[in-house]
């Protein structure tokens, strides 16, 4: 159980800056996801926390104490790797036992053959065996304890890797894309299990993934990273509803948010393709509007997006309709309830509007800027 | 299933069979000779197994035995002489001591060195590896004389140390193990570090067990080379017969003035070759069902 703090972490490999000053606090027992496209530095940040890589500058604290000079083994962290990294020559039981034997047995007691004759060794080994069995039962892999990793399926290997991490009750768990080698069904299943594990153990989890769906479903908070910088840290809701950066808005959510290029005139009114949107900038001029597919509502008149239907995706529960809208480079996606099935046809022209509270505005630098509705009264004057 | 005649395949097999015959012919001569009487060897008769007719042993007659007493069966006589005329067990034991010590020490040096060259980042790593490759190009015979002089200065000639120490660092072993370690995923090493292992624990507890197939391949090269080596033992073991390795033991039968002893000599050669053949057959199985890295992907 521990808090984790990153203070202005920088990391360069030669001339490339991989991390450009990352500061982040993780609360005790929190499930924090580091999410971002590949190459954004999230794995490097995790490896710096683990002690497998050293930062160029900055400081890492675990439980309030700086750990910068400390070896990976002395940081009391456990890590689950993308490739599981199980020892191929050891059985499942031996794999899970490794962190315990390395810590609880002395160097002499670990020696092959001779070690077993030393006093106290047998008792400790029995104790380790019990702990391993408990961990295996918790993860439902007790029947696999005598197998070698080569004889296990991907999902089973994943559980063994998790077992090896949790067996010694570390202060925090680091997970580096642990689900990306699993098939889709298994991934959804393990997602729930890992989130459940976080709640039952009460330990701090730092979870690295490039899959925003994993981050959204499992985390207490998400930290979005891009190009070595932390763009936004917040709860899944906050990130989804109020992205601080246009890149965060585009990264979070599936299907992706609709980004509409707009102009802001001198009075602050926002126009799209010279059409009034009924919105004005609350502060800095707006360059883009972001609207989630489910925030768009079909209407008969005064819609600020007009487009022709180019594709209808029927998911059963929902209907995703893609429109070619004037002035928008990418197709606009609208989510409609399943009742709309059959009512929308290809090449229909649709008008769309949205609740101003659910529209995100972004300025020229891509940062979030307030958007407010123009009062109806004002527009008649 | 029908088989079609293919000129290409036939030709390939004819070439392979010819190659096999050329390689196996000396073994055939060795085994066949070890079964025959001196007369049959001298005249080139007796086919593969010899007639196995009793003959009077020359040494026995010279020592004054009657002809009836001295009658022996060629195959028994050759193989008995191999053990009685020379301390063959002692030579075999020496061979085992020397080859196993060399292999153990080579592993002790090569595995950590290969780990460092494959997985650790340090200044001059590539240059160090280039030097290892360069060492592969130096023939043993080129450095034999300086090596001998050094051992002589240290007073180590005519000892096990002279047979073992010059071979403890194997550039080939380092190279082979390094190439294998390059294929071991970095995650495995990081996982071991997280689990609390130091670098040496990683080498012996993680890298070595995963490298068993590569180590076996190296063991075959190393053991065969040093078990069969005649050149180096011949240089550093000059007097003491109790230090002779098996190939040196063959010289016991080279005859000089006492006549020729091809039968017992070939019997010794056969005895020397057998352990290697057996060891290879055992290792071959381990090669196939050895630990693979498949558990990590």
């Amino acid at each position: 159980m521990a808090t984790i703090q990153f203070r202005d972490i920088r990391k360069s490999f030669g001339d490339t800056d991989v991390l450009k000053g990352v500061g982040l606090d993780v609360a005790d027992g929190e499930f924090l996801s580091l999410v971002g496209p590949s190459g954004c530095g999230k794995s490097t940040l995790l490896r710096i926390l683990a002690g497998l890589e050293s930062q160029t500058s900055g400081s890492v604290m675990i439980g309030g104490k700086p750990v910068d000079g400390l070896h990976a083994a002395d940081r009391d962290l456990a890590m689950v790797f993308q490739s599981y990294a199980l020892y191929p020559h050891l059985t499942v039981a031996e794999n899970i036992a490794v962190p315990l034997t390395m810590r609880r047995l002395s160097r002499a007691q670990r020696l092959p053959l001779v070690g077993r004759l030393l006093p106290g060794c047998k008792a400790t080994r029995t104790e380790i065996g019990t702990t391993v069995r408990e961990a295996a039962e918790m993860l439902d892999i007790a029947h696999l304890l005598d197998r070698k990793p080569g004889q296990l399926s991907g999902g089973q290997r994943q559980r063994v890797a998790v077992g090896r991490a949790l067996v010694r009750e570390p202060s925090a768990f680091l997970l580096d894309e642990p689900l990306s080698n699993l098939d889709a069904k298994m991934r959804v299943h393990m997602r729930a299990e890992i989130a459940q594990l976080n709640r039952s153990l009460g330990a701090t989890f730092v979870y690295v993934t490039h899959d925003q769906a994993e981050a959204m479903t499992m985390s207490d908070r998400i930290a979005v990273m891009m190009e070595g910088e932390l763009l936004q840290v917040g709860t899944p809701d906050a990130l989804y509803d109020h992205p601080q950066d246009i890149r965060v808005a585009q990264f979070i959510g599936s299907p992706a948010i609709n980004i509409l290029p707009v102009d802001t005139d001198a009075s602050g009114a926002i126009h799209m393709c010279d059409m009034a949107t009924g919105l004005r900038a609350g502060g800095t001029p707006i360059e883009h509007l972001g609207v989630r597919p489910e925030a768009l509502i079909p209407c008969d008149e005064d819609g600020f997006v007009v487009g022709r239907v180019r594709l209808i995706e029927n998911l059963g529960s929902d209907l995703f309709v893609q429109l070619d809208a004037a002035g928008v480079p990418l197709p606009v996606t609208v989510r409609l309830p399943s009742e709309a099935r059959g009512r929308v046809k290809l090449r229909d022209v649709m008008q769309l509007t949205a609740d101003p509270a659910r529209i995100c505005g972004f300025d020229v630098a891509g940062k979030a800027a307030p958007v407010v509705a123009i009062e109806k009264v004002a527009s008649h004057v | 299933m029908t088989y079609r005649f293919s000129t290409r395949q036939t030709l390939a097999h004819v070439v392979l069979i010819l190659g096999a015959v050329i390689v196996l012919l000396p073994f055939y001569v060795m085994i066949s000779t070890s079964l025959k009487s001196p007369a049959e060897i001298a005249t080139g008769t007796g086919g593969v197994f010899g007639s196995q007719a009793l003959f009077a042993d020359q040494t026995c007659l010279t020592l004054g035995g009657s002809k009836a007493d001295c009658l022996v069966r060629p195959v028994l006589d050759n193989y008995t002489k191999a053990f009685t005329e020379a301390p063959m067990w002692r030579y075999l034991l020496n061979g085992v001591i020397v080859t196993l010590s060399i292999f153990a020490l080579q592993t002790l040096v090569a595995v950590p060195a290969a780990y460092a060259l494959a997985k650790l980042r340090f200044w001059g790593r590539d240059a160090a590896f280039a030097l290892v490759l360069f060492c592969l190009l130096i023939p043993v015979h080129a450095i034999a004389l300086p090596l001998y002089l050094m051992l002589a200065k240290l007073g180590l000639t005519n000892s096990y140390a002279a047979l073992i120490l010059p071979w403890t660092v194997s550039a080939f072993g380092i190279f082979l193990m390094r190439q294998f370690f390059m294929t071991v995923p970095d995650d495995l090493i990081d996982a071991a570090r997280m689990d609390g292992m130091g670098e040496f624990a990683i080498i012996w507890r993680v890298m070595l067990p995963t490298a068993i197939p590569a180590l076996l391949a190296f063991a075959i090269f190393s053991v065969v080379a040093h078990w069969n080596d005649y050149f180096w033992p011949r240089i550093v073991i000059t007097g003491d017969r109790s230090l002779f390795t098996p190939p040196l033991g063959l010289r016991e039968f080279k005859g000089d003035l006492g006549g020729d002893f091809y039968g017992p000599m070939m019997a010794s050669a056969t005895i020397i070759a057998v352990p290697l053949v057996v060891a290879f057959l055992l290792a071959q199985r381990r090669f196939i069902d050895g630990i693979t890295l498949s558990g990590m992907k």
Side-chain angles (χ1 to χ4, degrees):
Chain A
M1 319 300 116
T3 59
I4 294 166
Q5 278 117 27
F6 295 99
R7 292 273 171 274
D8 196 28
I9 300 288
R10 282 164 202 280
K11 175 75 183 174
S12 319
F13 291 112
D15 291 335
T16 5
D17 294 331
V18 183
L19 295 174
K20 301 164 184 165
V22 174
L24 178 62
D25 283 11
V26 187
D28 186 12
E30 186 175 30
F31 194 122
L32 181 111
S33 292
L34 284 171
V35 63
S38 18
C40 71
K42 56 192 191 298
S43 282
T44 309
L45 190 66
L46 194 76
R47 291 172 59 82
I48 288 173
L49 170 59
L52 297 171
E53 202 93 59
S54 55
Q55 65 271 38
T56 312
S57 71
S59 168
V60 181
M61 287 189 272
I62 299 173
K65 289 189 216 68
V67 291
D68 299 316
L70 243 49
H71 284 292
D74 304 325
R75 295 191 179 192
D76 195 22
L77 302 171
M79 189 153 165
V80 178
F81 293 85
Q82 183 178 2
S83 59
Y84 319 133
L86 301 176
Y87 307 114
H89 60 291
L90 300 180
T91 64
V92 168
E94 288 165 333
N95 259 289
I96 299 178
V98 166
L100 297 179
T101 47
M102 294 311 291
R103 282 181 172 75
R104 293 195 193 162
L105 292 175
S106 70
R107 195 177 286 266
Q109 283 174 326
R110 288 200 302 265
L111 285 175
L113 302 173
V114 200
R116 303 208 172 242
L117 305 173
L118 292 174
C121 180
K122 201 173 169 208
T124 319
R125 284 202 183 264
T126 322
E127 204 179 289
I128 290 173
T130 321
T131 321
V132 167
R133 182 152 279 280
E134 280 167 14
E137 268 157 19
M138 182 171 160
L139 292 164
D140 207 13
I141 48 171
H143 59 293
L144 303 173
L145 283 176
D146 297 325
R147 304 246 192 113
K148 293 268 174 74
Q151 300 163 291
L152 303 180
S153 71
Q156 290 168 332
R157 284 180 206 173
Q158 178 62 66
R159 280 159 200 265
V160 178
V162 171
R164 184 174 63 176
L166 66 83
V167 74
R168 69 184 161 88
E169 294 163 12
S171 56
F173 286 84
L174 316 183
L175 301 102
D176 190 1
E177 310 219 4
L179 304 185
S180 54
N181 280 354
L182 298 178
D183 61 58
K185 200 174 160 206
M186 199 65 205
R187 203 176 305 167
V188 173
H189 180 72
M190 285 306 285
R191 211 151 78 179
E193 270 194 26
I194 290 178
Q196 174 65 37
L197 205 62
N198 168 248
R199 283 190 292 274
S200 59
L201 295 176
T204 314
F205 275 51
V206 181
Y207 188 99
V208 163
T209 179
H210 64 268
D211 182 349
Q212 58 88 24
E214 275 177 28
M216 290 293 284
T217 47
M218 300 163 78
S219 324
D220 294 325
R221 282 196 308 154
I222 301 175
V224 184
M225 287 185 71
M226 260 173 228
E227 288 157 19
E229 281 171 295
L230 214 52
L231 292 183
Q232 189 175 355
V233 187
T235 61
D237 288 348
L239 255 61
Y240 191 79
D241 294 335
H242 307 290
Q244 295 301 306
D245 192 291
I246 193 164
R247 290 174 288 174
V248 176
Q250 284 167 318
F251 193 79
I252 301 287
S254 173
I257 195 167
N258 298 302
I259 297 293
L260 315 172
V262 293
D263 299 307
T264 308
D265 66 18
S267 70
I270 299 170
H271 299 271
M272 191 175 148
C273 290
D274 299 325
M275 266 168 54
T277 56
L279 302 166
R280 68 178 169 78
T284 48
I286 302 293
E287 278 290 296
H288 291 98
L289 292 180
V291 195
R292 296 281 173 200
E294 68 276 16
L296 284 168
I297 309 159
C299 57
D300 298 330
E301 54 182 8
D302 284 347
F304 64 90
V305 179
V306 183
R308 197 177 282 278
V309 176
R310 73 194 288 267
L311 182 70
I312 302 170
E313 283 180 311
N314 184 357
L315 298 187
S317 57
D318 301 300
L319 204 60
F320 285 108
V321 178
Q322 289 193 357
L323 308 171
D324 284 320
V328 186
L330 291 173
V332 173
T333 310
V334 194
R335 197 189 81 180
L336 299 177
S338 55
E339 297 86 71
R341 266 185 273 171
R343 263 186 263 158
V344 184
K345 300 211 173 46
L346 276 183
R347 281 185 287 281
D348 278 358
V349 174
M350 280 177 81
Q351 285 204 38
L352 302 167
T353 184
D355 176 3
R358 300 196 65 184
I359 297 176
C360 315
F362 299 102
D363 65 12
V364 82
K367 296 294 168 204
V371 174
V372 288
I374 298 172
E375 300 295 323
K376 279 278 187 241
V377 191
S379 66
H380 285 294
V381 172
Chain B
M1 200 172 166
T2 55
Y3 294 95
R4 269 193 304 156
F5 180 80
S6 151
T7 323
R8 219 187 156 81
Q9 286 289 313
T10 313
L11 204 67
H13 280 86
V14 167
V15 171
L16 286 173
I17 289 167
L18 273 178
V21 166
I22 291 170
V23 170
L24 290 174
L25 206 56
F27 285 91
Y28 164 73
V29 172
M30 175 182 83
I31 292 168
S32 177
T33 308
S34 79
L35 300 174
K36 291 180 184 177
S37 68
E40 284 168 335
I41 296 167
T43 55
T45 54
V48 182
F49 299 104
S51 63
Q52 296 302 339
L54 296 174
F55 75 98
D57 178 52
Q58 201 57 46
T59 334
C60 177
L61 288 176
T62 324
L63 291 171
S66 73
K67 197 166 178 194
D69 291 336
C70 291
L71 282 180
V72 285
R73 190 75 66 188
V75 57
L76 289 177
D77 182 53
N78 288 341
Y79 281 89
T80 319
K81 278 220 177 85
F83 284 99
T84 53
E85 299 288 304
M88 179 55 74
W89 288 117
R90 175 77 205 201
Y91 298 163
L92 288 172
L93 179 69
N94 285 344
V96 170
I97 292 173
V98 169
T99 48
L100 290 189
S101 308
I102 289 175
F103 177 62
L105 290 172
Q106 281 176 334
T107 306
L108 211 61
V109 174
V111 171
Y115 171 71
L117 288 173
K119 291 294 178 191
L120 301 182
R121 279 174 289 180
F122 56 91
W123 187 87
R125 181 179 78 164
D126 293 341
F129 184 59
L131 282 177
V132 170
L133 290 180
F134 181 68
C135 286
L136 281 173
L137 302 176
I138 303 174
V140 180
H141 309 85
I143 54 166
L145 194 57
L147 260 181
Y148 175 79
L149 290 176
M150 273 155 61
L151 287 169
K153 283 252 159 61
L154 291 167
L156 285 176
T157 50
N158 286 311
S159 68
Y160 282 124
L163 290 168
I164 295 165
L165 287 184
W167 310 112
T168 48
V169 182
S170 161
F172 177 67
I174 295 173
F175 171 71
L176 192 79
M177 296 313 286
R178 184 254 185 196
Q179 295 310 95
F180 183 81
F181 287 164
M182 294 291 278
T183 67
V184 175
D186 287 341
D187 273 0
L188 192 67
I189 294 158
D190 286 337
R193 289 196 181 120
M194 296 298 294
D195 284 344
M197 291 194 199
E199 296 300 308
F200 279 101
I202 291 175
I203 292 170
W204 302 120
R205 290 178 174 274
V206 180
M207 298 306 267
L208 187 67
T210 55
I212 294 291
L215 203 65
L216 270 178
F218 174 57
I220 287 179
F221 282 110
S222 168
V223 169
V224 168
H226 295 107
W227 180 269
N228 289 337
D229 190 16
Y230 180 73
F231 172 75
W232 186 252
R234 181 80 183 85
I235 291 178
V236 293
I237 306 297
T238 48
D240 193 351
R241 279 177 78 201
S242 66
L243 286 172
F244 276 17
T245 57
L248 282 186
L250 283 180
R251 296 179 68 241
E252 302 278 324
F253 300 101
K254 88 176 151 57
D256 298 332
L257 295 174
D260 47 33
F261 299 103
Y262 288 117
M265 188 196 257
M266 288 303 116
S268 306
T270 309
I271 293 163
I272 291 168
V274 163
L276 284 188
V277 174
V278 171
F280 181 78
L281 290 177
L282 289 177
Q284 199 185 23
R285 289 198 52 192
R286 283 287 282 140
F287 257 135
I288 297 158
D289 58 28
I291 299 161
T292 55
L293 292 170
S294 62
M296 285 187 272
K297 291 284 148 65

